[in-house]
């Protein structure tokens, strides 16, 4: 399977997003924003989900712009 040069250089962005989501959506961080079910907690959850979705969308669009010629030239280096 072909991957971009960026994800070969270090930890891939989707893995970092998964770790960030696990940390940001965990109980200790959620308890900072108020009681369970409060408006601030719900707004925080939707904001974090929205950020993750937009970041993954940006990443996928960026990966989709790589042409087969670009991927082949990376392997030859």
């Amino acid at each position: 399977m072909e991957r971009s040069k960026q994800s070969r250089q270090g930890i891939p962005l989707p893995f970092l997003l998964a770790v960030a989501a696990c940390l940001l959506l965990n109980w200790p961080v959620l308890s900072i924003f108020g009681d369970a079910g409060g408006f601030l907690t719900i707004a925080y959850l939707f904001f974090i989900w929205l950020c993750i979705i937009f970041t993954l969308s940006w990443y996928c669009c960026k990966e989709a712009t790589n042409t087969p010629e670009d991927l082949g030239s990376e392997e030859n280096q």
Side-chain angles (χ1 to χ4, degrees), residues 11-68:
I11 299 174
L13 182 65
F15 178 73
L16 289 176
L17 280 175
V19 170
C22 287
L23 293 175
L24 292 172
L25 299 175
N26 206 348
W27 171 77
V29 177
L30 283 175
S31 66
I32 293 172
F33 293 97
D35 297 332
F39 175 75
L40 193 57
T41 304
I42 294 170
Y44 172 76
L45 286 173
F46 280 109
F47 177 74
I48 296 298
W49 287 336
L50 187 66
C51 289
I52 291 170
I53 289 168
F54 279 132
T55 307
L56 279 175
S57 172
W58 169 78
Y59 177 77
C60 290
C61 288
K62 190 174 148 186
E63 287 289 311
T65 60
N66 288 338
T67 61

